[in-house]
C-alpha cells in the first residue's frame, strides 16, 4: 500500500462546530504531517509528528488540535474555526530523518476541502 | 534559510512540445529534491524524487535533473499532452539538525493546448 488516505474529502462547518479530519497510511512511515494550502499557494506546514510524538508546531492557533493515536493514523481536531481557515488540508507521510534510511520522499493524501461558514 | 524558487509561474505551450520547468534552491545542503504534480483542488502526486547523491531520475516522459553546485533542478517533459496540464511543485528537504521540513517553491502552472 503506497497511499495516504484522507477523510472526509469535503467538509462544511459552522464557526461553532467541532469536527475532525482523519489521515491513514500503511507504508510504515514514522513521520506524519499536516499542511494547509490556500488557492494558488504552495502547502504550508502546520504540524509534524515523528514516532507518534509532536515534533513541530508551526505556531498554529489552538483551534487546530492534532493527534497521532498510532503509527498509522493522524487526526486534526477542529473547533471554533474562522472563515479564513477555509482551505485544502493535506496530510503527508515520510520516514523521519533519524531513521536509518536515505529515502525521505514524501507521500501526500488527496486532501480535505474545508469550508467554514 | 533554504529558499526554493520556480520560474516561470505559468507556462502555456501547444501539445506535442518538449518543455523544461526550472527550480532553484539557495542552500546545497539537501537530502533530496522532489517534484510533485497538483491538479486543481486535489492533493500532491509525487512525480520524481532525486537523492542528494544522484544527478537525474526518469519516469516515462519525465526526466528530472539535480545540480547541487549550481542550486538547480529541472523537470523535462517530453511530447507534452493536454493531460499534463497541472501545477508542478518542486520541494527540497534541507539537512538541518532535527528538522522535518520540506521547502516548497511557488509552483509552475502548466497549460498544454490541444
Amino acid at each position: 500500500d503506497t497511499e495516504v488516505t484522507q477523510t472526509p474529502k469535503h467538509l462544511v462547518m459552522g464557526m461553532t462546530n467541532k469536527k475532525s479530519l482523519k489521515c491513514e497510511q500503511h507504508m510504515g512511515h514514522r513521520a506524519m504531517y499536516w499542511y494547509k494550502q490556500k488557492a494558488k499557494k504552495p502547502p504550508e506546514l502546520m504540524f509534524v509528528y515523528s514516532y507518534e510524538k509532536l515534533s513541530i508546531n508551526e505556531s498554529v492557533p489552538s483551534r487546530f488540535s492534532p493527534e497521532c493515536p498510532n503509527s498509522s493514523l493522524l487526526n486534526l481536531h477542529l473547533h471554533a474555526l474562522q472563515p479564513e481557515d477555509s482551505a485544502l488540508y493535506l496530510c503527508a507521510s515520510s520516514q523521519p530523518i533519524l531513521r536509518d534510511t536515505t529515502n525521505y520522499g514524501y507521500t501526500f493524501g488527496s486532501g480535505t476541502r474545508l469550508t467554514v461558514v | 534559510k533554504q529558499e526554493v524558487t520556480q520560474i516561470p509561474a505559468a507556462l502555456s505551450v501547444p501539445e506535442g512540445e518538449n518543455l523544461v520547468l526550472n527550480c532553484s534552491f539557495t542552500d546545497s545542503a539537501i537530502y533530496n529534491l522532489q517534484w510533485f504534480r497538483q491538479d486543481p483542488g486535489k492533493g500532491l502526486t509525487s512525480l520524481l524524487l532525486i537523492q542528494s547523491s544522484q544527478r537525474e531520475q526518469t519516469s516515462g516522459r519525465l526526466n528530472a535533473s539535480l545540480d547541487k553546485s549550481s542550486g538547480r533542478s529541472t523537470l523535462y517533459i517530453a511530447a507534452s499532452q493536454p493531460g499534463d496540464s497541472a501545477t508542478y511543485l518542486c520541494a527540497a528537504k534541507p539537512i538541518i539538525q532535527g528538522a522535518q521540513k520540506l521547502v516548497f517553491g511557488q509552483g509552475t502552472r502548466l497549460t498544454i493546448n490541444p
Side-chain angles (χ1 to χ4, degrees):
Chain A
D1 189 349
T2 58
E3 288 186 344
V4 173
T5 302
Q6 289 188 244
T7 56
K9 293 193 183 304
H10 302 276
L11 179 62
V12 179
M13 60 185 291
M15 290 188 284
T16 59
N17 290 159
K18 286 184 180 181
K19 297 287 185 182
S20 296
L21 309 185
K22 297 186 182 299
C23 174
E24 186 170 7
Q25 58 91 12
H26 294 289
M27 293 176 284
H29 288 168
R30 300 304 295 276
M32 296 185 75
Y33 312 81
W34 281 115
Y35 283 84
K36 173 183 178 180
Q37 188 179 27
K38 298 288 249 182
K40 299 187 178 181
K41 297 288 188 183
E44 297 176 15
L45 183 64
M46 300 175 71
F47 302 103
V48 179
Y49 273 83
S50 181
Y51 295 99
E52 296 86 69
K53 295 191 187 310
L54 184 64
S55 62
I56 294 178
N57 176 342
E58 292 286 274
S59 303
V60 178
S62 60
R63 57 186 184 268
F64 295 90
S65 176
E67 177 195 21
C68 189
N70 59 53
S71 61
S72 300
L73 293 174
L74 185 66
N75 299 321
L76 185 63
H77 302 298
L78 314 172
H79 173 54
L81 294 191
Q82 304 296 310
E84 59 264 30
D85 296 321
S86 298
L88 181 67
Y89 288 83
L90 295 164
C91 174
S93 70
S94 76
Q95 292 295 10
I97 293 298
L98 296 179
R99 183 77 176 238
D100 184 22
T101 176
T102 58
N103 183 0
Y104 300 124
Y106 281 53
T107 302
F108 280 80
S110 58
T112 294
R113 170 67 62 188
L114 174 67
T115 303
V116 182
V117 297
Chain B
K1 178 185 173 186
Q2 179 72 270
E3 293 183 1
V4 177
T5 303
Q6 291 185 250
I7 295 174
L11 181 64
S12 181
V13 301
E15 180 178 3
E17 281 201 4
N18 303 324
L19 59 98
V20 174
L21 305 182
N22 296 297
C23 173
S24 61
F25 48 96
T26 55
D27 188 343
S28 62
I30 60 173
Y31 285 107
N32 59 48
L33 190 135
Q34 196 164 2
W35 282 92
F36 296 93
R37 168 190 173 134
Q38 186 173 33
D39 294 296
K42 305 295 185 183
L44 277 63
T45 299
S46 180
L47 298 173
L48 290 165
L49 171 69
I50 311 177
Q51 303 292 352
S52 176
S53 59
Q54 298 175 324
R55 296 283 293 182
E56 65 179 299
Q57 283 286 324
T58 297
S59 176
R61 294 182 294 109
L62 306 179
N63 175 277
S65 68
L66 177 64
D67 183 346
K68 287 198 307 177
S69 62
S70 65
R72 291 187 61 197
S73 177
T74 62
L75 179 67
Y76 174 82
I77 302 176
S80 58
Q81 303 170 358
D84 295 329
S85 298
T87 295
Y88 291 79
L89 292 153
C90 69
K93 181 81 167 180
I95 298 175
I96 302 174
Q97 184 71 22
Q100 298 284 4
K101 297 187 179 184
L102 202 60
V103 182
F104 282 93
Q106 293 294 309
T108 294
R109 191 166 63 256
L110 177 65
T111 302
I112 307 298
N113 301 304

